[in-house]
Amino acid sequence: MKRACQQKYLDGEPFEREVLDPDVKAALLSYMRSIPSLAVAAGYFEDVTTGKEVIVDYLAYNDGEFSWTTCDIYHLKKYDLAMSPEFVEKALRASA
């Protein structure tokens, strides 16, 4: 299974941003939220920019090729987390 984002930012690797066209970003976020979650856990994750705890239902997603979590959706929406180009292509094809 491939990761939707190319980096392991939660493991201390540098957080990479990629500013997307607003329509592309909206389509990507819509796709990521449209896939049924596979797992859920109550809890939190750390905002990698502020260091503050973000309390959410921690959801895991898998579209059969890529996987991602609520944390990835949050960081993409708020900070333009750089996503895998292959994943972006797939999400845009599905949104067309």
Side-chain angles (χ1 to χ4, degrees), residues 5 18 25 28-29 31 41 48 62 66 71 75 86 88-89:
C5 61
E18 179 181 6
K25 184 175 177 178
L28 185 55
L29 287 166
Y31 176 78
V48 297
N62 172 334
F66 292 93
C71 186
H75 285 97
E86 287 177 89
V88 173
E89 267 185 51

Side-chain angles (χ1 to χ4, degrees), residues 24-92:
V24 171
K25 184 175 177 178
L28 185 55
L29 287 166
S30 177
Y31 176 78
M32 293 173 80
R33 293 178 180 133
S34 74
I35 303 298
S37 61
L38 296 174
V40 62
Y44 67 92
F45 57 83
E46 187 176 294
D47 180 306
V48 297
T49 299
T50 66
K52 294 182 180 178
E53 292 178 355
V54 178
I55 300 171
V56 296
D57 289 335
Y58 196 86
L59 305 173
Y61 301 89
N62 172 334
D63 68 2
E65 184 178 3
F66 292 93
S67 65
W68 62 94
T69 67
T70 307
C71 186
D72 298 327
I73 293 171
Y74 171 88
H75 285 97
L76 170 61
K77 181 180 177 185
K78 194 158 183 168
Y79 301 115
D80 297 314
L81 170 66
M83 305 302 287
S84 160
E86 287 177 89
F87 178 70
V88 173
E89 267 185 51
K90 180 177 185 173
L92 293 178

Side-chain angles (χ1 to χ4, degrees), residues 3 5-16 48 81:
R3 292 276 301 137
C5 61
Q6 297 180 336
Q7 52 192 312
K8 296 181 180 179
Y9 62 95
L10 295 176
D11 295 331
E13 288 187 15
F15 183 85
E16 296 177 32
V48 297
L81 170 66

